[in-house]
Amino acid sequence: MTRPWWKHAMVWLVISGPAIVVVAGITTAVIAVRQADPVVDTDYYRHGIEINKTLSAQDKSRLPALQGRNHAATPATEPAEP
C-alpha cells in the first residue's frame, strides 16, 4: 500500500521553498504599508547648495597637498630661457 502524498518528506521540501517566499513577500508588503516614508525637506534645494559649498571648501583646503604630491610625482619642468 502506498503512503498519502503529505507523508513524503520530499513533498514538504519542495513546498517549503515557495511557501517561505510567499511569507517573506507578505511580510515585506506589510512593513512597506505600515512604515511611513520620511518626508522630503521642503527646503531641500538650499540644503543641497550648502552641502556643495562645504564640499568645495574641503576640496580647496586639500588643494596644496594634492599639488605637492602631484608635483613630486611629476616634477615641473623649468621654462626654457629665450
Side-chain angles (χ1 to χ4, degrees), residues 46-64:
R46 184 179 59 82
H47 289 290
I49 290 175
E50 290 175 4
I51 290 171
N52 288 339
K53 287 178 183 177
T54 304
L55 291 175
S56 68
Q58 289 176 354
D59 287 343
K60 287 179 184 175
S61 68
R62 287 189 233 147
L63 189 61

Side-chain angles (χ1 to χ4, degrees), residues 4-67:
W5 66 269
W6 63 84
K7 290 193 176 185
H8 292 276
M10 188 60 77
V11 171
W12 293 110
L13 182 66
V14 170
I15 292 174
S16 66
I20 291 171
V21 171
V22 168
V23 169
I26 291 171
T27 304
T28 302
V30 168
I31 291 172
V33 170
R34 286 188 180 177
Q35 302 293 327
D37 292 335
V39 178
V40 176
D41 189 11
T42 56
D43 205 11
Y44 68 92
Y45 186 75
R46 184 179 59 82
H47 289 290
I49 290 175
E50 290 175 4
I51 290 171
N52 288 339
K53 287 178 183 177
T54 304
L55 291 175
S56 68
Q58 289 176 354
D59 287 343
K60 287 179 184 175
S61 68
R62 287 189 233 147
L63 189 61
L66 289 174
Q67 284 177 343

